[in-house]
Amino acid sequence: MTRLIARSLAVAALAALVCLTHTGCRRPPKQPSADVKGPTENPGNVSFGAQVVAAFRYEPKSVNDEWTRFRDLLPKLNAHMSKADVQSRVKLSEEDRKFLSDDAHLTGPEISDLETPEFRTADAHYLDECYLMRDAARAADAGNFDSVEKHAAALFRWMSRNVYLHEAVETWVPPAYTLRRGIGGPIERALVYLALLRQEKFDGCLVVVPGTDPLQFVLGVVDPQASDLRLFDTRLGLPVAGKTPGSIATLKEVQADPKLLATSQITPEQTKKLEVWLACPLHAMAPRMLELQGEVAGLDRIVFYQNPREVARDVGKVTSLPIKVWNPPAQGSKIVPSPTRCLDLFLPKQEGGQDTTNRALQVSQARLPVGNVALNLGQINVTPNVLGSAYSRIDGAVGDLFVKYELQPREMYLHGNGAAMSQRLARIQPLLKTDVSVKDKVFANELDTWFKLMKFASGNLIQDDPAIKNKAQQIIDNLGGIDFVLHWTRDVDNEKTLADLEREINARGGDRQLAVSTKILALGIRDQLEPEVQRLQAVASHEKAERAQAILRGKINPSDTIVRNAEEDWITAKSAWKNFYLAPIALDFMIDQRLAQMRARSPIAESAGEKIGLRISLLETLHLDVQRYFNAKVLLAECLVHTEKEGVKSAKEYLLKTKKEIEEVEKKGKLRDEIRTLRVVAQRFPPPARETLLRRLDLLSHDWTEKGTMYWLKQQIDQRVQ
């Protein structure tokens, strides 16, 4: 049962990740000629660069608005790359080739691949990443900064707000995937931040204590004005505090006073061993990326290319520490994960990568609360065992709703279009507010009639009469009846409002009653989707307030309008976090209720493997929800600074209460105890199932270790209070 739902929702998740609605950004680039119709047409002799910009530009109504649009343009790009003058340019210099071999430890085949003029399938994923990071960096850039320190800090704060530290997930996930799912470990957060820096043309690196496990590091950003590296900590989610109040520590400062790195758990002795490691994506090193970047220059501000030798040179100008590319040499056929090979080791072979374990599919699937939806539907016996083949229609509708109202809205937001995201999320409210419960007797009677109808239709699918079969298939396709609310909710391209449809139905004397299928779907999705919708709205409101505050800070004598806009936006953000997202959550009750659901006899899991798989899936979702809850409280504290009479004092008091609440959860140990219980069960399974289950439980247990996720969240709170 859970495997069937997992497959369907995973397919939906992948479809979302390759077919997401993107919209414009806050500062649109100069647009190419209006005559440009696409990458395959060129009326009026439009330049190749203008054609590329037009083809890559996001269109809200586009049906081909996905990473595959980059793949689909590869033949056009390669036609350009086949020109003799282009091929003469797309070559590595001897100096670069030597550096890539000796210092970046690329293999011969990798270097040959870089120097190949033709774009490959995996390049399409990298281009998609570049555009996502470019738009995200623009969304984070709320004004004109007068220093690298302030600009780098704004980007880091944005990354920390939008990618929560959550180590109960797979590591070595590429930056675009990490940003889209909004969670990651310290290395994943670091790679996202470095990708954002590249789009702003800043040189970034890791300042590492070599030989530590887990790797101890902070991030460094080259600050030419200070002739130094500014330091940031992805575990803390904060800049490393400098000696001057409010400043960001530089590398030279921490070398002179190692105690500045104490909050990053780097000792004075370790400070003497620091090295600089460069994170250079393999695809960014290809000369073909430099050629493409040159073609779109002046039309679109985006960075595709990075020369690691030049980055090493520029970083070397501000530090005497040893510098190397973080890419260990291959040991025969064994390739060690690194920032350089991260994307290739993650993508499946059919998309140009080297993975054979379906990692991309698993990460995509994990973005959806598969187990929770299955459990909700199981409460009313909506399962494959009861419905048979008709279940796939329910399954598909659930996946479609999560794609359109969770994955796509976040994509809109990341591309800088919070307004489009808010419009989309408002559309799901009628479905989420559908009045239905498991204990509703009227609904129970309706459900009984619906089951009989679906069973009858399924039985008629094997009839010889084509008319009977077609009618039966139509009933199943329509889930036994789709009302105007569900139809409108799923038809996101329909520009009519719900009120417009109601008026049309009233004029025709039609039925406005909700169909049973609508109630089933509402019951299945709302426990998970409604909180996430509220969280996404709060995230967007918070970013709007951050931008308004940045505009206010940038004015010497701000107008009353600018001041009022910032005040109103912070009040809206505060309300979004406090009243709409956090208020409905009673954390203790939520934990107890969800743990009880995990332990109860499941109506959907049959075999022992399915049962433990479902319990771990539910526990993973619960851990993430707890993490989101506490991070929301930290962001609410930021709102209090700007909205309360004694804002700083109120924020400190609220943060200390939040820390105490975290400690209470740790002390009670309910989630930790559940992990221990499941570990005992997992040990009974034969390999390789046992190893897979234990790996998932190990990741979950890291939240509660001495230096795990909750530890770092408390450390962040302490730093904010101080």
Side-chain angles (χ1 to χ4, degrees):
M1 159 61 188
T2 51
R3 288 196 297 264
L4 176 60
I5 292 183
R7 281 197 299 271
S8 298
L9 291 187
V11 170
L14 283 181
L17 293 175
V18 299
C19 188
L20 290 165
T21 303
H22 297 276
T23 48
C25 39
R26 193 168 46 80
R27 295 184 302 177
K30 177 181 176 183
Q31 300 299 322
S33 167
D35 290 334
V36 178
K37 296 183 179 179
T40 58
E41 300 178 53
N42 190 14
N45 198 29
V46 176
S47 72
F48 172 73
Q51 293 181 69
V52 171
V53 170
F56 286 171
R57 187 172 61 236
Y58 290 110
E59 297 290 347
K61 297 291 185 182
S62 173
V63 297
N64 191 35
D65 206 8
E66 55 203 51
W67 80 267
T68 56
R69 78 185 186 285
F70 298 97
R71 180 198 61 195
D72 293 344
L73 191 64
L74 295 186
K76 183 75 174 182
L77 297 181
N78 289 336
H80 171 78
M81 302 301 290
S82 66
K83 297 177 181 178
D85 61 320
V86 174
Q87 295 209 357
S88 66
R89 295 193 297 267
V90 184
K91 292 184 181 298
L92 292 168
S93 68
E94 287 303 319
E95 195 175 15
D96 284 338
R97 188 181 289 105
K98 187 176 188 306
F99 184 92
L100 293 176
S101 175
D102 298 349
D103 298 88
H105 305 125
L106 297 190
T107 64
E110 286 173 332
I111 293 175
S112 297
D113 184 74
L114 287 186
E115 203 163 16
T116 299
E118 291 79 17
F119 284 84
R120 312 297 181 85
T121 302
D123 287 332
H125 281 278
Y126 173 69
L127 292 172
D128 172 52
E129 177 185 300
C130 290
Y131 275 90
L132 178 67
M133 296 297 167
R134 189 279 304 272
D135 288 353
R138 285 180 173 179
D141 181 357
N144 296 318
F145 299 98
D146 58 8
S147 69
V148 170
E149 179 182 12
K150 291 179 182 178
H151 196 163
L155 286 172
F156 187 80
R157 288 195 302 270
W158 187 92
M159 183 281 298
S160 298
R161 288 193 300 269
N162 289 280
V163 182
Y164 297 157
L165 179 65
H166 185 68
E167 296 182 88
V169 289
E170 286 294 331
T171 55
W172 290 112
V173 174
Y177 284 78
T178 297
L179 184 56
R180 282 172 170 138
R181 69 179 180 171
I183 53 174
I187 290 175
E188 285 69 43
R189 295 177 102 197
L191 295 182
V192 169
Y193 183 55
L194 292 171
L196 292 170
L197 289 174
R198 278 195 297 275
Q199 291 304 322
E200 294 298 295
K201 299 184 178 180
F202 293 150
D203 288 326
C205 58
L206 295 94
V207 181
V208 174
V209 181
T212 49
D213 185 21
L215 188 69
Q216 295 295 104
F217 69 92
V218 292
L219 290 175
V221 180
V222 174
D223 185 350
Q225 295 156 307
S227 295
D228 211 337
L229 293 173
R230 296 285 177 184
L231 303 181
F232 301 84
D233 189 333
T234 58
R235 285 188 175 91
L236 271 178
L238 295 171
V240 178
K243 300 191 73 171
T244 305
S247 69
I248 298 174
T250 65
L251 179 58
K252 290 172 185 173
E253 277 185 315
V254 302
Q255 287 175 311
D257 185 2
K259 292 179 181 178
L260 292 172
L261 284 177
T263 56
S264 300
Q265 299 297 310
I266 296 176
T267 66
E269 188 63 30
Q270 288 175 325
T271 304
K272 299 174 184 178
K273 304 175 183 178
L274 294 175
E275 295 180 353
V276 170
W277 292 6
L278 306 181
C280 302
L282 182 65
H283 298 269
M285 304 178 195
R288 58 183 176 270
M289 292 296 174
L290 178 61
E291 172 69 18
L292 183 62
Q293 184 173 303
E295 288 293 334
V296 302
L299 298 169
D300 206 0
R301 183 174 66 87
I302 189 163
V303 174
F304 302 132
Y305 178 71
Q306 182 184 48
N307 187 314
R309 180 178 60 81
E310 293 177 356
V311 175
R313 178 198 63 199
D314 293 342
V315 173
K317 291 178 182 178
V318 298
T319 180
S320 59
L321 289 181
I323 300 172
K324 69 178 184 180
V325 176
W326 186 4
N327 189 46
Q331 300 173 355
S333 60
K334 184 180 179 181
I335 303 292
V336 180
S338 70
T340 297
R341 300 182 173 111
C342 182
L343 181 60
D344 273 19
L345 293 179
F346 183 82
L347 293 176
K349 288 189 174 182
Q350 62 267 31
E351 293 178 18
Q354 301 179 40
D355 180 63
T356 58
T357 62
N358 292 322
R359 290 189 67 213
L361 176 64
Q362 292 163 11
V363 168
S364 300
Q365 177 183 324
R367 292 185 66 185
L368 299 175
V370 172
N372 299 75
V373 173
L375 202 62
N376 289 343
L377 294 176
Q379 292 180 85
I380 55 174
N381 288 322
V382 176
T383 69
N385 290 340
V386 175
L387 286 176
S389 61
Y391 181 81
S392 62
R393 305 304 299 179
I394 292 287
D395 204 10
V398 167
D400 183 54
L401 289 169
F402 271 98
V403 165
K404 290 174 177 173
Y405 292 99
E406 183 171 345
L407 304 191
Q408 287 183 351
R410 179 164 177 83
E411 193 77 10
M412 294 173 184
Y413 162 76
L414 293 175
H415 281 277
N417 201 323
M421 185 200 75
S422 295
Q423 284 182 334
R424 174 66 66 83
L425 295 180
R427 198 179 186 101
I428 190 69
Q429 291 303 320
L431 185 62
L432 296 179
K433 301 303 181 186
T434 298
D435 186 16
V436 61
S437 72
V438 176
K439 298 179 181 179
D440 184 341
K441 292 182 179 179
V442 174
F443 175 57
N445 291 331
E446 292 175 336
L447 195 59
D448 184 59
T449 302
W450 182 83
F451 275 123
K452 290 176 181 176
L453 174 64
M454 298 302 285
K455 185 177 180 180
F456 175 77
S458 296
N460 281 340
L461 288 177
I462 60 174
Q463 294 292 327
D464 294 331
D465 189 334
I468 295 176
K469 289 176 65 175
N470 290 339
K471 186 175 181 180
Q473 188 63 57
Q474 192 174 43
I475 290 172
I476 292 173
D477 290 346
N478 290 331
L479 301 175
I482 296 179
D483 57 69
F484 72 102
V485 171
L486 182 57
H487 178 77
W488 178 78
T489 302
R490 295 183 67 181
D491 185 14
V492 292
D493 292 328
N494 187 339
E495 296 181 357
K496 291 183 179 180
T497 66
L498 198 59
D500 292 334
L501 294 179
E502 286 185 292
R503 281 193 293 269
E504 291 178 5
I505 291 170
N506 288 336
R508 297 195 306 265
D511 185 6
R512 296 178 59 222
Q513 184 176 353
L514 294 183
V516 179
S517 57
T518 299
K519 296 179 181 181
I520 291 171
L521 291 170
L523 192 64
I525 69 172
R526 68 185 179 191
D527 286 351
Q528 286 298 314
L529 190 53
E530 187 168 20
E532 185 60 11
V533 165
Q534 298 297 352
R535 193 183 71 86
L536 287 171
Q537 289 280 35
V539 166
S541 296
H542 197 105
E543 292 306 322
K544 186 179 179 186
E546 287 281 356
R547 288 192 293 272
Q549 188 67 28
I551 293 171
L552 178 60
R553 283 196 301 264
K555 301 291 183 182
I556 298 175
N557 296 304
S559 67
D560 291 342
T561 300
I562 291 175
V563 173
R564 186 169 59 252
N565 286 344
E567 291 174 348
E568 291 175 352
D569 287 343
W570 280 116
I571 290 171
T572 300
K574 172 188 167 184
S575 179
W577 286 121
K578 182 179 180 180
N579 300 328
F580 292 96
Y581 178 66
L582 287 168
I585 301 174
L587 186 63
D588 247 6
F589 175 78
M590 181 184 79
I591 292 174
D592 288 342
Q593 183 187 50
R594 302 265 284 272
L595 288 175
Q597 288 175 334
M598 294 175 205
R599 296 163 184 163
R601 183 179 180 279
S602 172
I604 57 175
E606 297 176 355
S607 69
E610 286 181 332
K611 289 176 182 177
I612 190 173
L614 176 61
R615 285 180 69 176
I616 294 177
S617 175
L618 294 171
L619 191 58
E620 287 168 339
T621 303
L622 178 56
H623 270 71
L624 181 54
D625 287 341
V626 170
Q627 195 76 7
R628 285 170 171 164
Y629 171 84
F630 285 124
N631 276 280
K633 289 206 158 192
V634 172
L635 292 172
L636 176 54
E638 289 185 7
C639 298
L640 297 179
V641 172
H642 301 282
T643 56
E644 301 294 305
K645 187 175 181 180
E646 294 184 86
V648 173
K649 181 181 177 182
S650 298
K652 287 183 177 181
E653 291 174 350
Y654 188 76
L655 285 171
L656 289 173
K657 288 180 181 177
T658 300
K659 181 182 177 183
K660 187 175 180 180
E661 192 176 4
I662 295 172
E663 290 171 342
E664 283 295 316
V665 172
E666 290 178 313
K667 183 179 179 181
K668 291 176 181 177
K670 295 176 182 178
L671 298 177
R672 190 168 52 238
D673 290 346
E674 183 70 10
I675 294 171
R676 290 196 188 105
T677 299
L678 290 174
R679 190 182 298 279
V680 172
V681 178
Q683 292 283 2
R684 301 170 188 161
F685 283 80
R690 180 175 62 225
E691 285 71 21
T692 300
L693 294 171
L694 291 175
R695 168 63 177 161
R696 293 170 69 184
L697 292 170
D698 286 342
L699 288 170
L700 287 173
S701 66
H702 194 71
D703 275 353
W704 314 105
T705 57
E706 184 181 350
K707 295 293 175 65
T709 307
M710 291 301 172
Y711 167 84
W712 286 105
L713 187 54
K714 290 187 295 181
Q715 290 292 105
Q716 181 189 148
I717 288 173
D718 287 342
Q719 290 302 302
R720 287 177 179 271
V721 169
Q722 292 171 15

